[in-house]
Amino acid sequence: LSPAVKRTVWQTVKAVKEIVKIMGEEPRCIFLESTRTDEAKNQTRKRSDIISGLYDRIRGDVDRYNEDLKNARANLKKSDETKLNDEKVYLYFLQMGKCMYSGERLNFEDLSSYEVDHIVPRCYIKDDSIQNKALVLKQYNQEKAGTLALQKSIRDKMTPFWTFLKDNGMIGR
């Protein structure tokens, strides 16, 4: 292990020993969270550069998938690109302007009516990364609620689209 990792592990061990001393017993579970290398690398890049790079790679597919998406991207270039700092705007472009669970086109001008869903619900794991979020129609988020798995019909229908997004670096595993 690198010195930085060793130091982190040693600090964790010391913290656990202190918890045991205070509580009088060992914890049943310990969760360690670390950054993902791809995510850490992308955090230093502007979101507009990330989207541009992704879309340059799939230019023909963008045109085929969604005419509204081309218009939204053109309007975004003309306006303030800091809009990509808004989570819903960024997810809209990562998902090519489609609901992640139904595949229906989302209206860029009406993003406030959609919801951001934690793919793996927060009741299972505390992961607020963009890789664990999806922009969806409200009804799908309400139906899923805190369940871990989506309905089989949704998984069957959306798997080709999810695979396309994953293969082109727009979503993670």
Side-chain angles (χ1 to χ4, degrees), residues 137-156:
L137 295 167
K138 185 175 183 172
Q139 73 184 70
Y140 287 93
N141 193 28
Q142 301 305 312
E143 287 173 9
K144 182 177 174 248
T147 59
L148 190 55
L150 291 165
Q151 298 170 3
K152 184 173 177 358
S153 60
I154 292 173
R155 294 192 316 265
D156 291 343

Side-chain angles (χ1 to χ4, degrees), residues 3 14 20 25 33 37 50-51 55 74 87 108 113 136 144 152 157:
K14 287 176 26 179
V20 169
E25 63 182 322
E33 186 174 323
T37 54
I50 294 169
I51 294 293
Y55 277 43
E87 185 174 64
F108 185 72
S113 67
V136 298
K144 182 177 174 248
K152 184 173 177 358
K157 175 185 173 187

Side-chain angles (χ1 to χ4, degrees), residues 43-107:
Q43 286 177 347
T44 59
R45 294 176 51 207
K46 288 185 354 184
R47 284 182 169 182
S48 59
D49 294 341
I50 294 169
I51 294 293
S52 292
L54 292 169
Y55 277 43
D56 287 345
R57 271 190 276 152
I58 59 167
R59 187 175 312 273
D61 294 304
V62 170
D63 296 344
R64 186 179 81 234
Y65 268 104
N66 191 339
E67 185 69 28
D68 299 335
L69 187 60
K70 283 194 324 186
N71 296 334
R73 188 166 176 231
N75 289 336
L76 188 65
K77 285 182 180 179
K78 292 177 193 172
S79 69
D80 182 9
E81 288 195 356
T82 59
K83 285 183 180 175
L84 279 171
N85 290 333
D86 180 279
E87 185 174 64
K88 288 183 179 181
V89 172
Y90 191 52
L91 286 169
Y92 174 87
F93 285 103
L94 287 177
Q95 296 172 198
M96 298 180 65
K98 293 183 175 263
C99 170
M100 194 62 103
Y101 297 160
S102 71
E104 294 177 43
R105 287 185 179 179
L106 303 176
N107 181 350

